[in-house]
Amino acid sequence: MDPLARTFVKLLAFDFLSLRYQPHPHGFCSSGPTFSRKGRSIFRAEAVGVVVERERKEGFLRFLVDDGTGCIPCILWLNHLSPSNRSSYLARRNPSDLELAAKHAADQAEGVQLGRLARVRGRVTHFRGSLQITVSCVTIERDPNAEILHWLDCIRLATQCYDQPPPRR
């Protein structure tokens, strides 16, 4: 398996928005849709940018992160931990852990405000034909250099790692 499949790939918006849908060779894949960049599979992504749009609904927060190369749509689910929406997997978990996770998601949503610099990590997904990041973690950056440092990381990683062919077994 490609090592990129297990990590949060640091991407600029123009790279993220150019990801291609890669159908699973045997039809349905239990891990969800697969996306690729230059032939390498990407499941998770990390982006840094300014929050330029924010829409909070009952069960989710949808927002856009602009890094100067484009805007990445992000969604942070808030209702997946409520008792009415719990999957059988979540039903087996400790209720106090679920309460902590729900509080953490709500705290993250409160931090996402217009004009703030945010670091977003999550799964690459699509909704109605558009790419998005389904957020697992969002951090509000206090360092004004975080965005340019992310840019430099993206450029370095693209040339030294992401653009290289996957290792052979």
Side-chain angles (χ1 to χ4, degrees):
M1 178 181 257
D2 190 347
L4 287 185
R6 291 182 231 124
T7 188
F8 290 99
V9 177
K10 292 185 176 195
L11 294 173
L12 296 173
F14 79 91
D15 267 339
F16 178 82
L17 297 171
S18 69
L19 293 178
R20 296 194 180 271
Y21 176 69
Q22 183 178 355
H24 193 270
H26 305 293
F28 177 75
C29 178
S30 63
S31 64
T34 303
F35 298 89
S36 67
R37 178 185 181 280
K38 296 187 178 182
R40 300 206 49 194
S41 296
I42 294 179
F43 296 97
R44 298 179 191 99
E46 177 179 325
V48 177
V50 177
V51 177
V52 294
E53 189 176 302
R54 180 184 196 277
E55 175 189 15
R56 183 156 183 181
K57 298 269 182 146
E58 178 66 28
F60 62 88
L61 171 67
R62 180 172 288 140
F63 58 100
L64 288 177
V65 173
D66 184 348
D67 71 357
T69 67
C71 293
I72 298 176
C74 302
I75 186 158
L76 174 61
W77 289 102
L78 305 171
N79 68 347
H80 66 287
L81 298 172
S82 69
S84 63
N85 292 332
R86 260 185 217 152
S87 67
S88 59
Y89 168 76
L90 291 174
R92 293 189 302 261
R93 293 186 56 190
N94 184 341
S96 62
D97 289 345
L98 292 175
E99 288 174 24
L100 284 172
K103 182 179 179 337
H104 182 67
D107 290 345
Q108 288 185 86
E110 288 304 314
V112 176
Q113 299 295 327
L114 293 177
R116 286 198 171 162
L117 186 62
R119 179 178 305 274
V120 178
R121 285 181 157 196
R123 285 183 301 115
V124 179
T125 57
H126 64 92
F127 178 68
R128 295 186 179 165
S130 297
L131 287 170
Q132 66 182 13
I133 293 179
T134 299
V135 177
S136 58
C137 178
V138 60
T139 306
I140 302 305
E141 290 289 346
R142 306 236 186 289
D143 180 2
N145 298 314
E147 189 172 22
I148 193 65
L149 292 172
H150 177 77
W151 270 62
L152 293 170
D153 280 345
C154 289
I155 293 166
R156 179 181 54 82
L157 288 167
T159 58
Q160 294 178 357
C161 182
Y162 305 156
D163 292 350
Q164 302 300 315
R168 293 183 186 257
R169 286 189 170 212

